[in-house]
């Protein structure tokens, strides 16, 4: 392993290229022995989420780390700034069309910490001061019931949407409690549907019938911890009386149900989805006699919408349809639903075929149109597609600003109105109301600037990865910043699950970092979806290391260009991005001086045994298969931590109530690093779920801790 001291002089020379830096990537150690078996892992006890010994360790770590970070004189100011942004009342209230054309919004601020579900008319929403009616106050509910409720959304029955299923999480967990609510009477329905806490889903069939997928007791969950069984629950029945209509396999990720409705809210088909793995699935239609029939769709595909009787499907793999038609990965196709259900060999119509550097980042449907966010080289446009009588789809472009991130929001089922948004790293979000039928576009609301962007600029560069692939990345910094390696720089990455990192306006980052002289960088590595499914697939399983090398190449390129230096470069990422940070830490610590590792995956030899981990085998591979275990072990951060390495002091944080990525990953990472003699800051929030914060105040605390840490490591 190359030491930072040995490389420091080279890093400061402008003649050193990113390609040369990339050549220093070490091969995986051959002497890995730590924690390769349960018997050789001294920190398994930290996987006991609520274990007495584990929680005592957490308390000790929290006391020490909070003492350091909250004791910094800059923490209070950063916290107050973050809280002011999060609780500001001049934010854009995210609109959601109801079936009746009203506008719903879930809102949190300094008064409504947990939030309030509220409603207004479209005309009122378009004013500067909408008149909101409260549907459900989560803060009042939590106080009345003595619970730390976190609102997870409502599912209301069309067309009148009076009856709703409210999802509530205790402290931010993925597991939810579901309760029936009358949105007109503003009360929970006495004796109505109520489902106790469980991971899973629920959908309305009609007023008296639900399809539920949840924990029904022993043998009802997959090895990933998600539902394996779908049942029909009728009003008045107990859960034990519900009728089983579909059963998957224990090795599946999960099963669930949904009702495919037309624009009038009429059910056209009831669908059962069997998630065979994270990316491959089967879709079955529920027949009137209670049997199911599997639809002839490719394993890697998504049903997107039903538009004018046309079923729209996006493909994640090359596919020859039963009709004999050949389609490509990334294509969006459509059938007339009634024709296709009657005859699976009916011909499909190609709606969209993205180009090599294009990717679809969002699809929604109005009553008559398909509205699509299509990105080229990580810059977006919104297009409207409408089927014509011949079966072909015509395309028009909405006249939105260029070179920004665009988003397709809620769409009306009464007409062709749809909310769309535009934003950039330095451009506050603007919300538009578009008419997909005419192309008319009206600005509805705009977020006022939340930080001083004067003198800042955004640039896009490319870095050459180890295999020669060019990896784009964005840099946000002062236009007059010296290219001498002196700029405090935070590099963010995720790199997995086809999640794209698109330009967006982050008020906390701008206020707490850019405005104070920091530089912000986002890497668009393989594993994401920036260039469609193939960009993601290029870093799957045995090729996971490519994504790590992409991220490392961006870091090296930043240094080679003089944008920053090892002394001033920090990295940040969460969940899969936390694995990214761990790989950088163990493979290229010579490039960085700070690492924020958020709710991470870290012990990749045991990820599939912890909480939802088994569901990600399609992404990473299976550690129980020797060949796959070998490539996973080569990069697994926990097993590859070593003594006498130039690791910086890291900041690791997680949540006790994260029931998706097990907090044991973060705990064990900190414990192992401390055992090896490295300084570590560790913080575990006792609430918050996978987002590591259950309310706005907890979010403000997390942000202040992170930026205090970055200030200490990169600015001092």
């Amino acid at each position: 392993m190359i030491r930072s001291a040995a490389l420091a002089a080279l890093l400061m020379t402008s003649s050193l290229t990113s390609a040369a830096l990339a050549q220093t990537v070490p091969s995986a150690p051959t002497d890995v022995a730590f924690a390769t078996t349960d018997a050789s892992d001294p920190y398994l006890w930290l996987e006991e989420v609520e274990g007495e010994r584990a929680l005592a360790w957490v308390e000790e770590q929290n006391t020490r780390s909070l003492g350091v970070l909250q004791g910094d004189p800059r923490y209070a100011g950063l916290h107050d700034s973050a809280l002011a942004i999060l609780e500001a009342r001049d934010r854009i209230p995210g609109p959601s069309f109801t079936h009746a054309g009203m506008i719903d919004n879930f809102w949190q601020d300094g008064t409504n910490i947990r939030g309030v579900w509220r409603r207004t008319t479209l005309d009122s929403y378009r004013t500067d001061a909408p008149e909101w009616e409260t549907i459900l106050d989560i803060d009042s509910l939590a106080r009345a019931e003595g619970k730390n409720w976190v609102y997870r959304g409502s599912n209301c029955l069309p067309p009148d949407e009076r009856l709703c299923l409210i999802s509530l999480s205790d402290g931010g967990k993925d597991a939810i409690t579901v309760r029936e609510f009358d949105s007109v009477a503003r009360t929970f329905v006495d004796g109505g549907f109520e489902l106790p806490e469980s991971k899973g889903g629920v959908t309305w069939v009609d007023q008296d019938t639900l399809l539920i997928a949840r924990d029904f007791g022993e043998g009802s969950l997959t090895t990933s911890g998600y539902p394996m069984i779908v049942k029909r629950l009728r009003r008045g029945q107990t859960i034990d009386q519900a009728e089983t209509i579909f059963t998957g396999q224990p090795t599946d990720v999960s099963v669930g149900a949904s009702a495919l409705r037309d624009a009038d809210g009429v059910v056209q088909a009831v669908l059962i989805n069997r998630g065979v793995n994270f990316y491959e699935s089967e879709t079955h239609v529920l027949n009137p006699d209670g049997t199911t029939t599997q639809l002839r769709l490719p394993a890697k595909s998504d049903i997107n919408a039903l538009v004018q009787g046309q079923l729209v499907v996006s493909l994640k793999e090359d596919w020859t349809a039963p009709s004999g038609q050949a389609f490509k990965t990334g294509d969006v196709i459509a059938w007339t639903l009634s024709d296709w259900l009657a005859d699976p060999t009916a011909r499909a119509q190609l709606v969209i075929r993205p180009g090599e550097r294009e990717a679809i980042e969002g699809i929604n449907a109005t009553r008559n149109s398909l509205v699509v966010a299509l990105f080229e080289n990580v810059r977006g446009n919104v297009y409207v597609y409408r089927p014509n009588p011949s079966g072909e789809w015509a395309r028009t472009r909405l006249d939105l600003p260029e070179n920004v991130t665009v988003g397709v929001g809620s769409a009306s089922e009464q007409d062709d109105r749809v909310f769309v948004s535009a934003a950039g790293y330095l451009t506050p979000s603007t919300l538009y109301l578009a008419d997909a039928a005419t192309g008319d576009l009206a600005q509805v609301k705009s977020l006022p600037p939340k930080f001083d962007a004067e003198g800042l600029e955004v640039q896009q560069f490319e870095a050459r990865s180890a295999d020669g692939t060019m990896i784009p990345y964005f840099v946000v910094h002062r236009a007059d910043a010296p290219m001498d390696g002196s700029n405090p720089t935070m590099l963010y990455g995720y790199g997995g699950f086809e999640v794209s990192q698109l330009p967006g306006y982050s008020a906390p980052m701008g206020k707490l970092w850019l405005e104070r002289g920091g530089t912000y960088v986002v890497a668009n590595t393989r594993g994401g979806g920036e260039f469609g499914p193939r960009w993601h697939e290029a870093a799957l399983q045995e090729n996971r290391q490519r994504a790590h090398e992409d991220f490392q190449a961006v870091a090296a390129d930043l240094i080679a260009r003089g944008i920053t230096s090892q002394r001033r470069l920090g990295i940040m990422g969460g969940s899969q991005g936390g694995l990214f940070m761990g790989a950088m830490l163990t493979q290229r610590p010579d490039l960085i001086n700070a690492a924020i590792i958020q709710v991470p995956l870290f012990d990749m030899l045991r990820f599939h045994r912890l909480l939802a981990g088994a569901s990600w085998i399609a992404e990473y591979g299976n550690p129980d298969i020797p060949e796959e275990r070998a490539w996973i072990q080569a990069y697994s951060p926990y097993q590859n931590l070593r003594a006498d390495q130039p690791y910086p002091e890291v900041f690791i944080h997680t949540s006790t109530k994260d029931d998706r990525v097990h907090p044991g990953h973060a705990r064990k990472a900190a414990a192992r690093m401390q055992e090896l003699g490295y300084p570590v800051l560790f913080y575990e929030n006792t609430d918050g779920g996978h987002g590591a914060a259950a309310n706005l105040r907890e979010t403000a605390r997390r942000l202040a801790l992170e930026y205090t840490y970055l200030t200490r490591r990169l600015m001092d």
Side-chain angles (χ1 to χ4, degrees):
M1 181 71 71
I2 294 178
R3 303 294 192 269
S4 58
L7 198 58
L10 291 176
L11 298 184
M12 294 304 294
T13 64
S14 60
S15 62
L16 184 60
T17 66
S18 59
L21 281 166
Q23 293 173 3
T24 66
V25 176
S27 59
T30 58
D31 60 340
V32 173
F34 177 77
T36 55
T37 65
D38 290 358
S40 62
D41 186 352
Y43 298 113
L44 280 182
W45 56 274
L46 285 171
E47 294 180 5
E48 298 175 17
V49 177
E50 301 285 351
E52 184 177 350
R53 181 184 178 193
L55 289 180
W57 180 90
V58 166
E59 183 178 3
E60 179 183 355
Q61 298 291 323
N62 282 353
T63 299
R64 181 180 58 81
S65 298
L66 291 177
V68 171
L69 294 174
Q70 292 182 331
D72 188 291
R74 292 159 294 196
Y75 171 84
L78 291 169
H79 176 271
D80 291 347
S81 294
L83 189 61
I85 289 171
L86 294 171
E87 294 185 344
R89 302 186 67 87
D90 59 359
R91 292 174 285 126
I92 297 176
S96 178
F97 276 109
T98 70
H99 189 84
M102 300 289 283
I103 299 299
D104 278 11
N105 165 254
F106 183 70
W107 180 259
Q108 294 174 289
D109 58 25
T111 302
N112 306 285
I113 305 301
R114 291 175 172 83
V116 57
W117 171 24
R118 57 188 188 171
R119 178 171 293 168
T120 191
T121 65
L122 178 59
D123 288 342
S124 179
Y125 178 79
R126 298 181 69 172
T127 67
D128 291 336
E131 296 180 0
W132 295 100
E133 292 183 59
T134 295
I135 306 297
L136 179 61
D137 186 327
I138 305 301
D139 291 272
S140 295
L141 180 67
R143 285 193 297 270
E145 299 185 348
K147 293 282 192 177
N148 186 14
W149 287 131
V150 175
Y151 180 70
R152 293 300 195 204
S154 61
N155 177 358
C156 299
L157 176 64
D160 62 3
E161 297 187 327
R162 174 169 183 162
L163 296 179
C164 302
L165 299 172
I166 306 297
S167 295
L168 298 168
S169 164
D170 181 7
K173 293 182 288 186
D174 282 357
I176 55 172
T177 297
V178 178
R179 295 157 66 179
E180 187 178 7
F181 184 80
D182 186 326
S183 64
V184 175
R186 310 291 201 258
T187 60
F188 287 101
V189 176
D190 186 22
F193 289 115
E194 184 165 349
L195 306 177
E197 184 179 81
S198 171
K199 290 184 180 181
V202 57
T203 191
W204 290 101
V205 177
D206 56 43
Q207 179 172 322
D208 296 314
T209 312
L210 305 179
L211 294 182
I212 58 175
R214 60 187 335 281
D215 185 352
F216 295 109
E218 185 177 354
S220 68
L221 299 179
T222 67
T223 54
S224 299
Y226 291 106
M228 188 177 69
I229 297 171
V230 175
K231 294 190 178 188
R232 180 190 288 115
L233 179 66
R234 301 188 188 278
R235 189 173 297 279
Q237 289 182 324
T238 65
I239 292 177
D240 292 340
Q241 294 171 326
E243 172 192 3
T244 297
I245 61 171
F246 189 87
T247 302
Q249 298 294 322
T251 54
D252 293 343
V253 171
S254 66
V255 299
S258 61
L260 185 65
R261 300 177 186 271
D262 63 19
D264 294 317
V266 178
V267 177
Q268 299 299 306
V270 174
L271 304 178
I272 308 295
N273 181 268
R274 177 190 171 210
V276 178
N277 59 44
F278 204 85
Y279 300 109
E280 296 183 333
S281 63
E282 296 174 355
T283 301
H284 301 251
V285 63
L286 180 63
N287 301 316
D289 63 1
T291 62
T292 60
T293 302
Q294 184 178 343
L295 300 179
R296 297 178 68 177
L297 290 170
K300 294 182 179 179
S301 62
D302 293 320
I303 294 176
N304 301 118
L306 184 63
V307 182
Q308 294 191 47
Q310 301 287 306
L311 182 71
V312 180
V313 176
S314 57
L315 306 181
K316 303 296 181 69
E317 62 178 320
D318 294 348
W319 183 56
T320 300
S323 62
Q325 297 169 278
F327 296 105
K328 296 183 178 181
T329 300
D331 284 354
V332 176
I333 61 177
W335 292 272
T336 300
L337 177 63
S338 58
D339 292 348
W340 182 61
L341 289 177
D343 178 10
T345 65
R347 290 183 62 81
Q349 179 68 42
L350 178 66
V351 181
I352 310 170
R353 175 162 289 168
E356 185 68 25
R357 301 289 278 185
E358 290 183 330
I360 295 170
E361 293 291 350
I363 296 180
N364 205 348
T366 64
R367 187 175 187 86
N368 302 297
S369 305
L370 193 70
V371 187
V372 179
L374 183 65
F375 280 65
E376 182 177 7
N377 205 31
V378 207
R379 292 177 168 87
N381 291 291
V382 174
Y383 292 93
V384 175
Y385 296 80
R386 293 173 69 90
N388 58 37
S390 67
E392 297 181 348
W393 292 67
R395 182 176 96 162
T396 57
R397 178 184 174 276
L398 294 182
D399 188 22
L400 288 163
E402 297 184 355
N403 297 322
V404 295
T405 288
V406 295
V408 178
S410 182
S412 172
E413 295 174 323
Q414 290 189 326
D415 49 40
D416 285 297
R417 290 177 295 183
V418 58
F419 287 105
V420 295
S421 61
Y425 289 119
L426 302 178
T427 306
S429 301
T430 299
L431 183 70
Y432 300 87
L433 183 63
D435 188 324
T438 64
D440 291 344
L441 196 69
Q443 180 174 318
V444 177
K445 296 184 184 296
S446 182
L447 182 72
K450 293 295 182 177
F451 61 89
D452 184 3
E454 182 70 27
L456 296 175
E457 69 173 1
V458 180
Q459 293 180 288
Q460 188 180 35
F461 298 105
E462 289 187 329
R464 186 179 299 278
S465 194
D467 66 356
T469 302
M470 301 306 294
I471 309 302
Y473 66 94
F474 288 99
V475 179
V476 189
H477 61 166
R478 301 204 64 81
D480 60 358
M483 295 296 101
D484 61 359
S486 63
N487 302 299
T489 300
M490 189 263 281
L491 168 61
Y492 183 86
Y494 184 78
F497 297 96
E498 205 177 339
V499 175
S500 302
Q501 300 303 307
L502 306 174
Y505 191 78
S506 171
M509 184 276 297
K511 187 69 176 179
L512 277 59
W513 189 245
L514 292 175
E515 193 177 279
R516 298 170 59 238
T519 293
Y520 179 58
V521 182
V522 176
N524 299 121
T525 69
R526 284 172 289 185
E530 287 86 348
F531 301 125
R534 295 188 188 280
W535 192 247
H536 168 238
E537 291 168 356
L540 277 179
Q541 300 202 25
E542 69 269 26
N543 296 316
R544 171 58 42 179
Q545 179 61 17
R546 288 178 179 171
H548 302 154
E549 291 168 350
D550 293 351
F551 191 65
Q552 293 158 18
V554 171
D557 200 59
L558 290 168
I559 294 170
R561 292 178 188 273
I563 293 173
T564 192
S565 61
Q566 178 274 333
R567 169 66 183 84
R568 300 295 180 185
L569 178 60
I571 56 175
M572 180 193 296
S575 192
Q576 147 62 31
L579 171 61
F580 242 32
M581 304 307 108
M584 173 72 90
L585 179 70
T586 53
Q587 295 179 21
R588 295 305 309 273
D590 52 290
L591 295 178
I592 60 174
N593 194 41
I596 296 177
I597 304 173
Q598 307 161 314
V599 290
L601 284 161
F602 217 84
D603 182 354
M604 295 304 291
L605 296 187
R606 284 182 53 78
F607 82 90
H608 62 314
R609 301 184 189 178
L610 302 174
L611 296 177
S615 66
W616 310 320
I617 286 175
E619 180 83 8
Y620 301 116
N622 188 343
D624 291 338
I625 298 174
E627 178 187 2
E628 299 181 12
R629 185 180 184 86
W631 77 58
I632 295 170
Q633 185 171 320
Y635 68 75
S636 179
Y638 187 53
Q639 281 73 29
N640 283 286
L641 289 168
R642 293 286 183 276
D644 302 320
Q645 301 298 308
Y647 301 153
E649 177 188 61
V650 300
F651 178 31
I652 303 171
H653 67 75
T654 187
S655 167
T656 308
K657 291 199 174 178
D658 188 343
D659 55 351
R660 190 181 313 171
V661 174
H662 197 290
H665 285 280
R667 294 172 178 181
K668 289 163 61 175
R672 174 59 172 165
M673 291 192 72
Q674 290 171 346
E675 175 196 339
L676 292 170
Y678 298 106
V680 177
L681 294 171
F682 176 91
Y683 171 64
E684 182 171 317
N685 187 13
T686 56
D687 284 323
H690 193 49
N695 57 56
L696 296 180
R697 290 173 183 171
E698 290 180 2
T699 300
R701 178 174 57 193
R702 175 181 59 79
L703 289 168
L705 293 172
E706 290 174 341
Y707 285 101
T708 299
Y709 165 80
L710 289 174
T711 300
R712 292 165 61 89
R713 296 297 305 171
L714 305 180
M715 289 184 169
D716 287 354

